[in-house]
Amino acid sequence: ALAQQGIDQVQGIVLDIGVSSMQLDQAERGFSFAGDGPLDMRMDPDLPSAADFLNAADETEIADVIYQYGEERQSRRIARAIVSARPLSTTGELARIVRKATGHKPHDKKDPATRTFQAIRIHVNGELDQLREALGAAERLLAPGGRLVVVAFHSLEDRIVKRFLREASGQVGGGSRHLPLTEQPPTTFSRPAKAVRAGEAELARNPRARSAILRAATRTQAPARKEVIHG
């Protein structure tokens, strides 16, 4: 997008990762089970929907997605229940299936459907790959002294951001004493600032900020790395 505008460098890039409150609050977008809606979850309408994925994928693939992206220990039981109940078409159907498969009680504090919805949304939209591509693009586009700021909302996202900044700022292990020393690439970012979380005043205004983690670092003068490997 910047290249189309004839812009090859910028002074700052902010990445606000994940689903937005607007998307969560619109039941017709299918991101949340707070209100029953179509099982969609797409940020790009040209992608296959969550219903397309759940109604076509095999049990193992569904279980792997729920385990990997939702960190759900009961992923195989949930996947088996989803396959048995197909076809699925609404968020309410999916939420009820997950709750029943996990033995959820109405008085339980956390709804187990949250992790499954997160996992399927991340998979449908390729969110973690999008994040990796965005971090690499930021390294190429930021001018020396430019600032990168990333707000992540769960551990999978934050792990990718943290590792990217550690590698880019040269904060990686020194290697094994049994292997020859290799030349370290020049650091493309300064040592990142300490991660910032929402304080009590912000949480009172916006409870959804409770899981937000902000990380920031400043671009050095070193050229962007040819291969950016992270997380």
Side-chain angles (χ1 to χ4, degrees):
L2 288 171
Q4 291 172 1
Q5 300 298 320
I7 299 170
D8 58 4
Q9 282 193 329
V10 294
Q11 295 299 319
I13 291 177
V14 177
L15 303 178
D16 184 1
I17 306 304
V19 68
S20 73
S21 293
M22 179 184 68
Q23 291 164 327
L24 287 171
D25 294 338
Q26 294 176 348
E28 65 272 17
R29 298 295 300 276
F31 283 98
S32 171
F33 49 84
D36 199 14
L39 194 52
D40 194 323
M41 302 194 194
R42 292 174 294 181
M43 298 182 191
D44 179 350
D46 293 330
L47 294 172
S49 69
D52 292 333
F53 166 65
L54 291 176
N55 290 327
D58 63 36
E59 184 180 315
T60 299
E61 184 180 2
I62 294 171
D64 288 347
V65 165
I66 295 172
Y67 181 79
Q68 183 178 358
Y69 297 142
E71 300 178 299
E72 171 60 72
R73 293 181 180 178
Q74 300 189 69
S75 60
R76 304 217 172 276
R77 184 180 298 175
I78 293 169
R80 196 176 308 121
I82 288 171
V83 170
S84 296
R86 295 196 297 205
L88 280 66
S89 60
T90 71
T91 56
E93 285 178 305
L94 177 59
R96 287 191 291 273
I97 289 165
V98 174
R99 291 173 190 138
K100 185 175 180 181
T102 56
H104 176 66
K105 305 288 191 303
H107 61 268
D108 289 346
K109 222 174 180 183
K110 191 165 184 180
D111 194 320
T114 302
R115 291 189 292 271
T116 294
F117 270 67
Q118 170 188 298
I120 295 166
R121 189 201 80 222
I122 288 173
H123 174 74
V124 164
N125 295 288
E127 290 180 30
L128 301 187
D129 288 335
Q130 294 278 359
L131 173 56
R132 293 182 182 99
E133 290 178 15
L135 292 168
E139 182 173 306
R140 296 190 299 272
L141 288 164
L142 280 169
R147 185 68 60 87
L148 172 64
V149 177
V150 186
V151 182
F153 286 86
H154 58 74
S155 60
L156 295 175
E157 297 168 347
D158 185 57
R159 202 174 299 147
I160 291 171
V161 177
K162 185 176 180 180
R163 182 172 177 184
F164 170 83
L165 291 176
R166 282 178 58 84
E167 291 178 352
S169 60
Q171 296 180 73
V172 290
S176 168
R177 61 189 177 88
H178 302 293
L179 297 174
L181 291 173
T182 57
E183 185 179 349
Q184 294 295 320
T187 57
T188 52
F189 281 90
S190 63
R191 189 181 185 92
K194 186 177 179 180
V196 178
R197 293 180 180 270
E200 290 183 10
E202 183 174 358
L203 290 173
R205 295 194 307 273
N206 179 20
R208 285 179 177 169
R210 67 186 181 279
S211 57
I213 304 173
L214 183 151
R215 296 185 186 275
T218 302
R219 187 72 169 83
T220 67
Q221 295 189 7
R225 293 167 291 168
K226 290 182 180 178
E227 292 186 15
V228 178
I229 303 171
H230 37 262

